[in-house]
Amino acid sequence: MDNHRQRLGEAGERLAERYLEARRLVVIARNFRCRAGELDLICRDADVLVVVEVRLRSRRDFGGALASIGAAKRRRILRATQYFLLRDPQWRHHRLRFDVVALQGAADASAQIEWIKDAFRGA
């Protein structure tokens, strides 16, 4: 990934993090990486463990940010989540939810933010 896209992605993740924290979610991990993939944000929403995929799109071509999360991406998120739960067993007994924060436009205060709770299900 080129430097410009990486900086945009990081800015989008920070914006999504602030948005979720303002809604009382507690961020417990950022950019969790393993061989299976990467989890953008892992949060706690009361007694629920929430894995958040952050998608930033400058335009709505091809369906925008939400449409960019296909079956292969969902599988990588699920595998990375399984690894996270193996590595940090304290979270295993929490209910699990997969959310998406879609940012449309620039990765700044002008972005349109859409938070989709329970955007997809694990196996």
Side-chain angles (χ1 to χ4, degrees):
M1 180 184 305
D2 67 32
N3 229 359
H4 177 70
R5 282 185 54 195
Q6 186 174 4
R7 282 195 312 273
L8 281 176
E10 290 168 357
E13 288 170 4
R14 284 191 306 273
L15 184 62
E17 182 177 344
R18 287 191 304 272
Y19 179 88
L20 294 171
E21 287 176 335
R23 283 145 187 86
R24 300 182 183 258
L25 272 73
V26 176
V27 175
I28 59 172
R30 294 166 191 83
N31 302 110
F32 175 81
R33 288 180 177 89
C34 65
R35 291 183 85 184
E38 178 184 349
L39 303 175
D40 294 333
L41 296 171
I42 303 170
C43 304
R44 189 175 45 79
D45 185 4
D47 63 340
V48 179
L49 184 68
V50 183
V51 176
V52 180
E53 176 67 12
V54 178
R55 302 305 272 187
L56 172 64
R57 294 291 180 264
S58 59
R59 300 169 25 189
R60 290 194 185 274
D61 295 2
F62 308 109
L66 291 178
S68 69
I69 304 172
K73 179 64 175 176
R74 288 191 303 270
R75 281 192 301 274
R76 284 192 302 274
I77 291 169
L78 293 172
R79 284 195 306 267
T81 300
Q82 290 169 338
Y83 183 79
F84 175 80
L85 293 173
L86 284 173
R87 200 198 74 174
D88 287 328
Q90 70 194 29
W91 302 108
R92 284 187 199 157
H93 301 292
H94 286 70
R95 205 162 45 94
L96 184 60
R97 187 177 81 212
F98 295 94
D99 291 1
V100 172
V101 172
L103 306 169
Q104 199 73 45
D108 59 25
S110 70
Q112 294 176 324
I113 301 175
E114 184 177 7
W115 177 21
I116 298 93
K117 292 182 182 180
D118 210 13
F120 60 92
R121 300 281 174 159

